[in-house]
Amino acid sequence: MKSRTDCSDPQPELQELLQKPRSLQLLTDGDKHATIIPSQGSNKEKTRPVDLVEDEGPDVVSTIIGKYGRWQLLMTFLLSLFSLPCTFHIYLPTFTAKATKFWCSRPDNLSNLSITEWINYSQPINACSVRKLPPGITAEAILNHTAPILANLFEKCTEWEYDRSEVGNTIITEWNLVCDNASLTSLAEVVFLIGIGVGGVIGGWISDRFGRKRILMGMITAQSVLAILSLLVRSYVQYVVVRLIMGFVSVSVVYAAFVLSVELVGGKWVTIAGVCNFFPLPLAYLIVSLLSLVLPNWRDLQLALSIPGCLLIALWFVLPESPRWLLSMGKTQEAKLMLQKAAMFNKRELPADIDKLLLLQKSETREEGPSVTMLFKGPLRKRTICLFVAWFCMTIVYYGLLLNIGNFNIGNLHMTSIILAIVEIPAIAVSVPILLKGGRRIPIVSSMIICGLACVASELFSIAFEQEWVMILCLMVGKFAIGSTNMMLPIYTVELYPTVVRNLGVGASQMSAGLALIFIPYLWKLAALNEHLPMVTISALGAIGGGIVLILPETGQLKEPPATVVGKLPQYDSNSPCNGTFTVADERGH
């Protein structure tokens, strides 16, 4: 039988296998020597554990419908749209929970007094306590500086006014989340991000067990309902509960759509489809930034951004289930019907032996289904741990810059947000040729280190110069670099896991990301110790995250097919049509 790495044309080998007098099973012994033997009974009689390293057999899906065609173009485009509503809800707090200047409310008889004069007279300490006013005080007396002052007589402020010059009504202004309640602003986002962490794992497990499409459409429906409910909340507690569930469903939507996208294509198009799935991210940042200018009230903004998610529910009748997932679950007939429609759309002739081809891919009955424990067995153990660290670091760096734009204090919030969103568009585009030509590990390591250096440079320049444009330029470089990482790391993660636990593996990575996101609202609290400490922390985590990736195997296309070693399974080419999954599965994974 031919070497599995020498399979530019899989048909001869498939024909050879199909002509065997009995059904065949591909077994792998402890030394990874691939052996094809006749099966001695039904699948129910002969069971074996899930292969935790690779999917077996040639890429039948690409053989039937092609690696990329009109059908895949349409489906991957539609799936990329699911990133929009999820990103809206993640990025909304940049404007709906923006901290602004506030002061104790003026009494009715002093309403015509200027804010500056009122603050100078009544709040010399802070905006949380107000000077006790003497009876009969007038605005004229304060303006003429003849008003009496009751020294050291202060009372706690209970009502506030807010500066709405940059943002309008927010959750802070609606529920007075200032002074003693200031920490509740961060709590709302922490709860949302906890939901993301939990949803990453549970949503991934459900998706691997029940299918990509079901979890995708079920969660986008739940997300749309929650978006509408968030408009009806009348208390802060209700708002927090809605945000918790919103975080859970949002991450499930994003990564179910991402995994489904890459499982519809083959070869180098896996990389391209994966990257294109994230193109809507900067577009979503731009939409939120621009709409917040037109709709400064947080409820109006929430309503406007809830509409796209509701429209996506109609795609239930258009989107397919993942053919690779169907085959891995043994649902051959469902996969056949879907592949026939896709091949017809792509104007490809179906192979005459399509049934036999699909039977070769039919999964044997397994003693165990997808479970979290699989991620910590064999070669996947090291991959899971390293990816956990890499995702933790990358998430803090990426969202530390994205969600703390208001803390940089470098000009108008909306303009800074728009500039940093635009920078991410070329970062995504550049990721495609880099991934195709430069592999995975080195580009990810380089981009994270470049981001770290840019953050350090921004702090050094802020000391040496007082020009806002210098800091913005450094942040643009950092955002460009980490934006590329944010595109490349999910693709790398998908390639390192086989089909049966792919969404679960991606979900586990999201648990790490969710854990990191919990710290994001508190990252700038480090400035109380040293004003440069937040950016130094981001730089250090960028270096750590990049370094840990070097331990993982490369999954990019090999320049030359490696020589076959007797007694060992040859190394995979991740772009080969013979590789049923998108992972390089060889001894390098150990």
Side-chain angles (χ1 to χ4, degrees):
M1 189 181 72
K2 293 183 181 181
S3 166
R4 292 181 66 178
T5 55
D6 182 19
C7 53
S8 58
D9 183 6
Q11 293 298 329
E13 179 176 313
L14 289 174
Q15 293 297 333
E16 178 185 347
L17 299 181
L18 293 172
Q19 292 171 2
K20 296 292 183 181
R22 307 184 65 176
S23 60
L24 302 176
Q25 293 179 346
L26 179 60
L27 301 182
T28 304
D29 60 23
D31 295 328
K32 290 190 176 181
H33 181 74
T35 306
I36 296 182
I37 63 172
S39 60
Q40 301 299 318
S42 66
N43 288 336
K44 294 182 179 180
E45 297 171 341
K46 295 293 181 180
T47 59
R48 63 176 178 83
V50 179
D51 187 345
L52 294 180
V53 180
E54 62 187 61
D55 297 331
E56 297 174 348
D59 186 358
V60 173
V61 173
S62 295
T63 301
I64 296 173
I65 66 174
K67 297 178 182 178
Y68 199 79
R70 295 190 306 163
W71 182 78
Q72 288 99 325
L73 174 62
L74 176 61
M75 294 301 116
T76 52
F77 169 74
L78 294 177
L79 286 168
S80 70
L81 298 179
F82 285 84
S83 295
L84 284 173
C86 300
T87 309
F88 290 159
H89 296 300
I90 291 174
Y91 199 54
L92 264 175
T94 301
F95 301 96
T96 61
K98 174 70 170 68
T100 61
K101 294 180 180 180
F102 62 95
W103 52 89
C104 291
S105 297
R106 291 165 289 185
D108 293 338
N109 64 320
L110 298 178
S111 58
N112 60 341
L113 185 66
S114 69
I115 295 173
T116 302
E117 292 290 345
W118 165 246
I119 292 175
N120 289 338
Y121 174 78
S122 64
Q123 300 160 59
I125 301 176
N126 55 47
C128 296
S129 59
V130 61
R131 191 187 301 277
K132 191 171 183 179
L133 300 179
I137 189 172
T138 62
E140 291 75 12
I142 295 177
L143 290 173
N144 297 330
H145 302 288
T146 58
I149 296 178
L150 302 179
N152 300 323
L153 289 179
F154 293 89
E155 55 188 7
K156 184 175 291 186
C157 191
T158 57
E159 294 181 0
W160 293 267
E161 297 175 8
Y162 297 88
D163 178 9
R164 291 181 168 84
S165 61
E166 193 170 31
V167 292
N169 294 328
T170 65
I171 64 170
I172 295 177
T173 63
E174 180 160 336
W175 291 302
N176 289 325
L177 304 181
V178 294
C179 296
D180 294 340
N181 294 326
S183 60
L184 296 180
T185 303
S186 298
L187 177 62
E189 289 319 295
V190 167
V191 168
F192 173 78
L193 301 172
I194 288 175
I196 287 181
V198 175
V201 174
I202 297 179
W205 177 83
I206 297 174
S207 178
D208 281 328
R209 182 169 288 272
F210 299 106
R212 316 321 191 195
K213 179 180 177 179
R214 290 179 182 176
I215 187 67
L216 174 63
M217 300 311 300
M219 291 300 180
I220 193 65
T221 302
Q223 186 184 66
S224 300
V225 172
L226 289 168
I228 301 301
L229 285 178
S230 64
L231 300 173
L232 306 177
V233 297
R234 289 294 176 263
S235 71
Y236 176 76
V237 173
Q238 293 174 346
Y239 175 80
V240 169
V241 172
V242 171
R243 290 292 288 176
L244 172 65
I245 306 174
M246 181 69 78
F248 178 90
V249 301
S250 293
V251 69
S252 301
V253 170
V254 169
Y255 282 93
F258 173 73
V259 172
L260 181 54
S261 292
V262 299
E263 288 186 346
L264 295 178
V265 299
K268 68 179 181 180
W269 294 100
V270 172
T271 299
I272 297 173
V275 171
C276 291
N277 192 260
F278 288 94
F279 261 113
L281 265 64
L283 177 61
Y285 302 148
L286 284 172
I287 292 174
V288 175
S289 301
L290 294 173
L291 273 181
S292 64
L293 286 170
V294 181
L295 303 171
N297 186 299
W298 78 271
R299 291 182 185 272
D300 296 336
L301 183 61
Q302 178 81 47
L303 175 61
L305 296 176
S306 300
I307 296 174
C310 298
L311 299 177
L312 291 175
I313 298 175
L315 293 180
W316 169 268
F317 303 100
V318 179
L319 295 175
E321 180 55 88
S322 166
R324 302 180 195 277
W325 179 83
L326 289 173
L327 291 174
S328 72
M329 294 292 106
K331 300 183 178 183
T332 309
Q333 288 305 311
E334 293 181 41
K336 178 183 176 181
L337 292 175
M338 192 274 292
L339 291 173
Q340 286 175 334
K341 294 179 181 178
M344 184 181 301
F345 197 90
N346 282 345
K347 298 182 178 180
R348 289 178 62 94
E349 293 185 5
L350 291 173
D353 52 359
I354 182 174
D355 291 321
K356 295 181 179 179
L357 289 175
L358 294 176
L359 285 175
L360 281 177
Q361 289 288 303
K362 186 174 181 179
S363 170
E364 290 110 359
T365 302
R366 297 188 174 104
E367 294 176 348
E368 56 177 333
S371 67
V372 176
T373 58
M374 290 182 180
L375 302 179
F376 297 93
K377 293 180 180 179
L380 295 189
R381 183 187 302 111
K382 183 176 74 174
R383 299 181 185 186
T384 300
I385 294 173
C386 290
L387 286 172
F388 192 94
V389 176
W391 272 94
F392 182 88
C393 295
M394 189 277 290
T395 302
I396 287 187
V397 175
Y398 180 79
Y399 286 101
L401 294 178
L402 177 69
L403 300 182
N404 285 291
I405 292 175
N407 291 319
F408 292 127
N409 297 319
I410 48 175
N412 182 271
L413 172 64
H414 295 87
M415 287 306 301
T416 304
S417 176
I418 291 171
I419 291 172
L420 294 182
I422 292 174
V423 165
E424 195 161 338
I425 296 176
I428 298 174
V430 168
S431 298
V432 175
I434 290 177
L435 287 171
L436 293 177
K437 301 296 183 181
R440 307 291 185 264
R441 291 188 303 172
I442 300 304
I444 291 175
V445 173
S446 301
S447 60
M448 293 192 76
I449 291 177
I450 290 173
C451 178
L453 293 175
C455 291
V456 171
S458 70
E459 293 303 293
L460 294 177
F461 287 137
S462 69
I463 298 174
F465 305 98
E466 294 185 358
Q467 299 290 332
E468 290 183 353
W469 68 267
V470 176
M471 288 190 64
I472 292 178
L473 180 62
C474 291
L475 289 175
M476 288 174 63
V477 173
K479 188 63 163 51
F480 179 93
I482 200 61
S484 296
T485 308
N486 191 46
M487 302 304 107
M488 295 186 285
L489 191 57
I491 294 171
Y492 189 42
T493 302
V494 166
E495 292 176 341
L496 287 172
Y497 288 107
T499 299
V500 70
V501 291
R502 179 169 298 131
N503 221 40
L504 187 59
V506 173
S509 300
Q510 289 316 291
M511 184 176 183
S512 171
L515 180 63
L517 286 169
I518 293 174
F519 295 98
I520 298 299
Y522 302 103
L523 181 62
W524 248 253
K525 304 292 184 182
L526 296 174
L529 302 175
N530 186 288
E531 62 178 336
H532 304 294
L533 193 54
M535 293 296 276
V536 171
T537 301
I538 289 176
S539 302
L541 289 174
I544 294 172
I548 202 72
V549 171
L550 291 174
I551 303 176
L552 295 169
E554 177 59 75
T555 61
Q557 183 177 12
L558 300 175
K559 293 182 180 180
E560 295 180 3
T564 302
V565 181
V566 178
K568 303 275 287 188
L569 185 66
Q571 296 176 348
Y572 262 25
D573 176 354
S574 66
N575 290 326
S576 169
C578 294
N579 189 0
T581 185
F582 312 117
T583 176
V584 173
D586 55 27
E587 67 273 18
R588 293 175 295 173
H590 294 283

